[in-house]
Amino acid sequence: MEYQLFKEFLFKIMRIDLSETYSNPNNSIIPRISINRNNFSISFDDDTLKTLFESTDNFNTNSAALYTDKTYEVGVKFNDSPRYYRDLESAECVKDTQNKLTYSITPASSEYVISMFKQIFQDVDYEHNPNISHVQLLREYGLSFRRPYIEEPDSQYDFIQYISEVIHCYSLKITSESNYSIEHFTDLKNAYIFNFSYNSNLSLTDYPSFSNIMYREIIKRNKINVPRTPPHRIYNSEIIEYYKIALSSNDPYIKYISFYHVIEHYLDKVYYQHLIEDMRDLITKPDFNYTSNKNISELINMTDKRLKNFGKFGQGNELESIKFVLKDFVSIDDLKSNLSKQSDETISFYQNYKAQFSDGPNINWDNSDNIIPSISKRIYFTRNSLIHSKSERKTYHAYQDRALLEKEIPLIKAIAELVIINSGKIIN
């Protein structure tokens, strides 16, 4: 990564015009900027920024962590309320004298902030896309900035201080007198976060990646499609509640489980109904003879095989039940149409990529005989990875796999919507 290009990117993302002519290009006062109707200036030292840029090469990165053999830093956030950050300002660092470790939560270091911007530089591929505008960075890549409150009009900020204010990120810092691996530092991080949350009863979490610190969830604010006709069907109120929970949450875990509950509502009923139909089909065939021991044995074997999967209250085999629900309520053509409306790439994604964290299989849309089994397995395996945490299973890791789970939402959402619609009853 070339420094001058990175500096150009950094100034662009901060909306600072580099076209101005400075009397001293290496130690400049950038023209005043107005925020909250207050003016202020920013002092910029090119040598300082360049030294900081180069120094970050001495650090390693892992997800959202910046580390060396003896230091570890990762961005953290309160999920409850941002007001708790104020309490950290006066908090003392925690020292583990026995293991010679120090823990603290303070505003992110300059090295951490620059490392984060370097990662974003790579994410947006600025080297091959240098003409991208500030507005595009915000809209297309979901970058979000905090506009700092300027308490003293006509004050002067150091440039590094200014971008730190804009990012407004706190980080957990761990220092050690001994050399540690990233795996051990990660264990220490998790231990501290649990200890902090346990004692404070607050949800403190670390960011899964540098990108998540500044990236916001992109919500396309298209014009609301207000229905022009009244509803023609009434729907099951219980599954509508699950649907509303899914739409109201920003957590992909809650979204997926809630959409799955819509499907799950019909699993036992559909399984049992298909068992009855298969039995009726067998005993009403013209060659079925109730006096024939062979025919009765066939009936016993079929029911015994199917009922082995039944629980005390008639619960059927869940994977098989999902297949039955899809057959009864979901048209594959309608499903593909709904997925295409969300994105042109959605259908091809499910065909070309499996769900990595759950081993949910690819869906070959061209193989009509295997579409429903593949969809059922992908949904069922993903559901199991979310629900079960047994070490021998493929399990979901809340932060590590979040982005992967988000890619599974369109499929489960489209299926849940078709189940709701096609299980509805026409209003008389």
Side-chain angles (χ1 to χ4, degrees), residues 323 326-327 332 361-378:
K323 295 177 185 178
L326 295 181
K327 289 177 181 177
I332 298 302
N362 304 50
I363 301 171
N364 185 352
W365 302 100
D366 299 323
N367 186 345
S368 58
D369 293 333
N370 199 43
I371 291 179
I372 286 182
S374 296
I375 294 175
S376 301
K377 288 180 180 179
R378 188 170 185 127

Side-chain angles (χ1 to χ4, degrees), residues 59-73:
F59 292 85
N60 300 306
T61 60
N62 179 270
S63 298
L66 189 71
Y67 69 97
T68 64
D69 291 337
K70 294 184 178 180
T71 65
Y72 178 91
E73 181 175 6

